[in-house]
Amino acid sequence: MFTYEVDEEISLKLIDEGDAETVFKLTDQSRDYLREWLPWIDMTTEIGDTRNFIKASKKMYAESKGLNTVILYNGEAAGIVGYNEVDWQNKIAYIGYWLGEGFQGKGIMTRATQALVDYAFEQLNLHKVDIRAAVENKKSRSIPERLGFQEEGKIRAGELLYGKYVDHVVYGLLKEEWEKMNASEA
């Protein structure tokens, strides 16, 4: 079982069937909050929907195409962070994430995402990490900005979100940029 210790408060656990009830409950408790930026919320109405997500996540992981983890904050499920896709040919990981409403403002997502960035470069030997967020989603955009990602551009009408199109901002971090940041911290 994949578990990655981030720090004394946070660990990332490979999502599995045993997480279905907890993840669905967290989704359901934060439904109104998460709905603003996540198009799948209205399609996640019962635990079976979460089980289907977990099955798809496990298949993606088994095929080395992605990785979804449950963020554990002091042992409690707080959200999901993962590689929505790993493009092995071009050595790029695409990170996606969400956090339950009650876990906001504690630096959890910044630390969890940093751990996945580090893992992508140190363990998977990837060349680039990509994060995309809706232009108006300030909380989601703040994660790559805090972590030193470069804003690379905007995708017009990048996502259909509850009947309207939203533009996306694309952020990227190259391995050599990550290495420079880590060298300056040492």
Side-chain angles (χ1 to χ4, degrees), residues 33 36-37 97 99-105 109-110 113 131 133-146 171:
Y33 175 77
E36 184 176 9
W37 299 113
Y97 42 75
L99 198 61
E101 186 173 13
F103 295 93
Q104 299 290 319
M109 192 55 75
T110 301
T113 302
I131 296 176
V135 169
E136 298 299 319
N137 189 344
K138 305 293 187 212
K139 286 185 178 182
S140 188
R141 289 182 60 186
S142 71
I143 304 300
E145 290 170 0
R146 257 186 235 119
Y171 293 93

Side-chain angles (χ1 to χ4, degrees), residues 7-20:
D7 58 31
E8 64 283 345
E9 295 179 318
I10 299 169
S11 60
L12 306 179
K13 178 183 133 354
L14 182 65
I15 197 166
D16 67 19
E17 289 87 353
D19 298 312

Side-chain angles (χ1 to χ4, degrees), residues 24-38:
F24 178 74
K25 184 178 176 185
L26 181 62
T27 303
D28 207 38
Q29 290 170 341
S30 299
R31 185 170 298 282
D32 292 338
Y33 175 77
L34 295 172
R35 188 179 191 278
E36 184 176 9
W37 299 113
L38 299 176

